[in-house]
Amino acid sequence: MKNEIEQFQYLTLQETAEEKSTDFIPKNFDDYLGQKELKEKLSIYTTAAKMRNEALDHLLLFGPPGLGKTTLSQIMANVMQVGIKICSGPMLERTGDLVAILSGLESRDILFIDEIHRMPSNVEEVLYSAMEHFRVDVIIGQGAGAKTVNLPINSFTLIGATTKSGMISAPLRSRFGIIERLDFYTQEDLCQIVLQSSNFLNLKISENSAMLIGKCARGTPRIAKKILRRVRDFAQVNNENIADDKLVEKALSFLGIDKDGLNQIDNLLLKKILENFNGGPAGLETLASLIGDDAETIETVYEPFLLRQGFLEKTARGRQIPYKIQPYLKNKYFGQKMIS
Ligand SMILES: Nc1ncnc2c1ncn2[C@@H]1O[C@H](COP(=O)(O)OP(=O)(O)OP(=O)(O)O)[C@@H](O)[C@H]1O
Ligand SMILES: [Mg+2]
């Protein structure tokens, strides 16, 4: 089961080389579709900072995977015409790693740290004085002769990205001047993203089919684009450059996404709640062990979409399937015989 889950996550959530090499990548705010309010705010902040010739305030971006945090940060660097260094929290194992990166930054550059909540605490502490005073403490020498030297660094903007805002420590959080959240995209926004990408890929697709992809993409551009790439594959082997609903449906079933936009793990989760808890409530840990995944993945990857689509609700006693949707799901998983 675990293997199947890992493979599935690879298929739908992780950034892949294919994504990097063939995708349309938005380079400015106009090409970055959706997230209207956030985009407006960030566009004003970056333009103002650029006019003042100053580094932008430190920014914490949080939101589920694949919603465009990295892309947005790259756009901000483009708009401000500054460099951007990209690294991730778990990659920064020792304080020296971070000090080396910080001291290599040019004035006003952006340092983007993905999964910032997974940075070791001693490395995180280096960030405090860097963010606040643009200085880092470096230890020179060893043993009794070791001394701490305070080195100045260029002013920079830290953009921290995280899927789990609750796991950012209070001292780190308080040093961010701007804290913003990315929301799931609407079906219409995803439809526009699909049309934009298909145009780039030279694939003709009707608005109807693009809407169908938008419906099944879990509010996530990365998944919308992934579905589109499979549609394109099917169109190619059929020797066509026009994609219709039939090809979209084929691609969806290939990726294990059904007409409700649910994947195998979503369906397994809902089925277990019906089967073992008669619709719930069920504790998160119990559910995790039932489907063979960890509670954190369920909470960050699967649950947000199920909650948003009304397939699941959170109560004080656990996760529950809303009463009004239960007959539909019972029929879907068990046929007429289970409907009560
Ligand atoms: N608003 C958007 N318009 C068009 N394409 C987008 C948009 N947002 C994201 N994308 C595309 O979706 C894919 C995922 O975006 P990105 O890597 O920036 O997400 P992320 O939030 O950083 O994900 P992760 O949490 O996994 O690091 C990329 O191919 C990107 O080009
Ligand atoms: Mg990213």
Side-chain angles (χ1 to χ4, degrees):
M1 190 67 210
K2 187 80 187 164
N3 253 350
E4 207 178 291
I5 290 173
E6 274 164 10
Q7 195 188 358
F8 181 77
Q9 285 177 353
Y10 174 77
L11 266 174
T12 60
L13 291 166
Q14 309 297 314
E15 187 181 46
T16 60
E18 186 187 25
E19 182 180 310
K20 278 191 184 144
S21 62
T22 60
D23 249 350
F24 171 78
I25 299 170
K27 295 271 185 325
N28 54 50
F29 284 115
D30 286 340
D31 287 343
Y32 187 91
L33 306 170
Q35 308 287 347
K36 196 164 163 278
E37 279 170 32
L38 173 62
K39 217 168 67 167
E40 258 167 38
K41 281 195 229 171
L42 295 182
S43 165
I44 291 171
Y45 301 154
T46 42
T47 311
K50 188 173 176 228
M51 284 163 79
R52 288 194 300 260
N53 228 353
E54 280 176 7
L56 181 76
D57 225 342
H58 302 301
L59 163 68
L60 180 64
L61 281 178
F62 67 95
L67 294 197
K69 298 180 289 295
T70 308
T71 310
L72 203 48
S73 305
Q74 281 164 327
I75 290 174
M76 289 164 76
N78 273 352
V79 170
M80 291 189 64
Q81 293 173 312
V82 296
I84 178 166
K85 284 223 167 78
I86 297 184
C87 58
S88 80
M91 217 171 85
L92 300 166
E93 282 175 2
R94 289 162 307 167
T95 54
D97 300 335
L98 181 59
V99 170
I101 294 174
L102 286 168
S103 45
L105 293 173
E106 305 266 335
S107 176
R108 299 166 51 237
D109 271 2
I110 291 177
L111 171 61
F112 178 83
I113 305 185
D114 217 350
E115 298 187 77
I116 195 163
H117 64 278
R118 291 180 58 196
M119 208 165 32
S121 57
N122 58 330
V123 178
E124 180 178 315
E125 276 161 29
V126 172
L127 268 184
Y128 298 164
S129 63
M131 289 170 81
E132 215 164 2
H133 308 297
F134 301 121
R135 307 188 73 87
V136 284
D137 291 331
V138 186
I139 300 170
I140 296 180
Q142 279 181 335
K147 55 179 181 178
T148 308
V149 182
N150 206 244
L151 283 183
I153 53 170
N154 284 318
S155 66
F156 72 103
T157 300
L158 175 70
I159 302 185
T162 179
T163 48
K164 310 197 80 187
S165 79
M167 283 181 70
I168 304 281
S169 73
L172 181 58
R173 178 185 287 264
S174 69
R175 284 170 170 81
F176 285 100
I178 314 167
I179 299 183
E180 292 291 345
R181 140 184 204 103
L182 274 88
D183 274 325
F184 284 112
Y185 290 67
T186 61
Q187 187 179 350
E188 288 73 22
D189 285 342
L190 290 168
C191 168
Q192 291 309 317
I193 290 174
V194 167
L195 292 173
Q196 180 192 51
S197 267
S198 52
N199 196 20
F200 175 78
L201 296 169
N202 207 9
L203 174 77
K204 288 196 184 66
I205 185 166
S206 70
E207 204 161 326
N208 216 25
S209 301
M211 276 299 264
L212 181 58
I213 298 180
K215 181 184 165 215
C216 297
R218 307 174 73 84
T220 308
R222 174 172 295 147
I223 298 179
K225 289 186 166 186
K226 201 154 298 209
I227 299 171
L228 182 67
R229 283 199 298 274
R230 295 293 75 81
V231 171
R232 182 180 174 230
D233 289 345
F234 285 120
Q236 191 137 26
V237 293
N238 286 1
N239 230 348
E240 291 166 10
N241 67 344
I242 299 173
D244 56 15
D245 282 7
K246 221 170 69 209
L247 285 191
V248 173
E249 276 159 22
K250 226 166 147 182
L252 287 170
S253 85
F254 185 82
L255 290 170
I257 302 170
D258 68 19
K259 62 181 182 351
D260 294 322
L262 303 181
N263 64 40
Q264 289 119 318
I265 316 289
D266 299 321
N267 282 317
L268 185 66
L269 198 70
L270 295 172
K271 198 171 164 194
K272 289 283 177 201
I273 300 178
L274 281 177
E275 226 167 23
N276 297 39
F277 301 93
N278 197 24
L284 184 63
E285 294 290 342
T286 321
L287 280 176
S289 61
L290 269 177
I291 70 159
D293 207 338
D294 59 285
E296 191 187 320
T297 310
I298 296 185
E299 215 173 2
T300 52
V301 178
Y302 303 109
E303 199 173 73
F305 179 69
L306 294 173
L307 291 169
R308 209 171 86 105
Q309 298 300 103
F311 285 110
L312 204 62
E313 59 192 10
K314 269 188 190 174
T315 71
R317 288 169 50 227
R319 273 62 176 171
Q320 172 171 304
I321 299 175
Y323 292 121
K324 66 174 193 306
I325 198 95
Q326 286 192 17
Y328 171 75
L329 290 178
K330 282 180 183 167
N331 190 29
K332 177 173 174 181
Y333 301 135
F334 313 109
Q336 294 296 331
K337 63 182 187 299
M338 274 278 297
I339 300 181
S340 54

